[in-house]
Amino acid sequence: YQNSTCFVSAYFLKHHQNVQYLEQAKTLLEDEISHKLLVAVDAIVQEHIDGLENWDGTFDLNGSCLLQFAPTSWQAKQGEEFKYQNFYARYNLDYESNIIGGDSNHWWLSTFLKNDIERIVFSFSPYYYNYKEKVNKMKWSKFANEQNQLIPQIEQEGFKFNASNGFWYLIVDGIEPKTVIEGYENDDLADALIPITDALDKIKQAHPYFDQIVQAAIEKFGRVEEETV
């Protein structure tokens, strides 16, 4: 591995113009194509959530790398802005590797595209510190496993269940690179975002089941004393 690294370094030093091409490609990926795609993802998800009654979220994948949302009925504590710590659970966009482990890509763009390494997911993520009873990972996982057995419809809707963490997640289909290129060139990424809107539709379909889980958790563990955060 060390010899191969030295070989690659020596090659690019010898052919220094290739380094410049790499820098230009990096700038194009990070500052132009990725930026435009992430801004478009933020906008389409916010538009979708704004169309639902009494939902809130943070739509800033391009800035803080946070894209998360939840119905206000899941809010455990009051706050002036959306913070997942104030909710019993929320939906958020993430890498699959953050849930189940494994390799990941360097750029969001690489993961949004069809690839063999990593996938974009929407996850149902509980914040189990917001209950009257002290809940830890083990206690939540046991509860979530029971709920997964009681509500098989969630997996029937296409969600996967991570038993060790007690999380459900939905894999977003990878985008064809050609579709992103055409959208970038035409300044219209609507077709590229179809996998995102399809996933949001599936979340909407499965939401009553997740709401059932949140309500069952409140019933089991107790509602937290309300406070302003």
Side-chain angles (χ1 to χ4, degrees), residues 11 105 112 123 159 170 214:
Y11 176 85
N105 292 315
F112 273 104
S123 68
F159 285 78
L170 178 68
V214 171

Side-chain angles (χ1 to χ4, degrees), residues 10 95 98 102 111 150 177 198 200 203:
Y95 294 128
N98 283 343
T111 307
L150 291 171
D198 285 348
L200 291 170
I203 291 173

Side-chain angles (χ1 to χ4, degrees), residues 81-96:
E81 58 185 34
F82 185 94
K83 292 182 180 179
Y84 70 86
Q85 297 94 333
N86 293 345
F87 285 74
Y88 291 109
R90 86 280 190 191
Y91 302 104
N92 63 289
L93 189 143
D94 206 343
Y95 294 128
E96 187 179 21

Side-chain angles (χ1 to χ4, degrees), residues 44 172-175 179 189-201:
I44 198 69
V172 178
D173 290 338
I175 306 169
T179 307
L189 290 167
D191 288 344
L193 297 178
I194 288 174
I196 301 296
T197 55
D198 285 348
L200 291 170
D201 288 340

Side-chain angles (χ1 to χ4, degrees), residues 146-194:
E146 293 170 352
Q147 293 297 310
N148 195 54
Q149 294 297 317
L150 291 171
I151 314 176
Q153 295 93 331
I154 295 177
E155 290 189 280
Q156 291 168 9
E157 291 286 351
F159 285 78
K160 294 182 178 294
F161 180 62
N162 181 261
S164 60
N165 292 322
F167 282 32
W168 287 263
Y169 65 98
L170 178 68
I171 295 171
V172 178
D173 290 338
I175 306 169
E176 291 288 351
K178 180 182 177 182
T179 307
V180 175
I181 292 170
E182 290 175 350
Y184 173 75
E185 291 176 343
N186 297 324
D187 199 26
D188 182 2
L189 290 167
D191 288 344
L193 297 178
I194 288 174

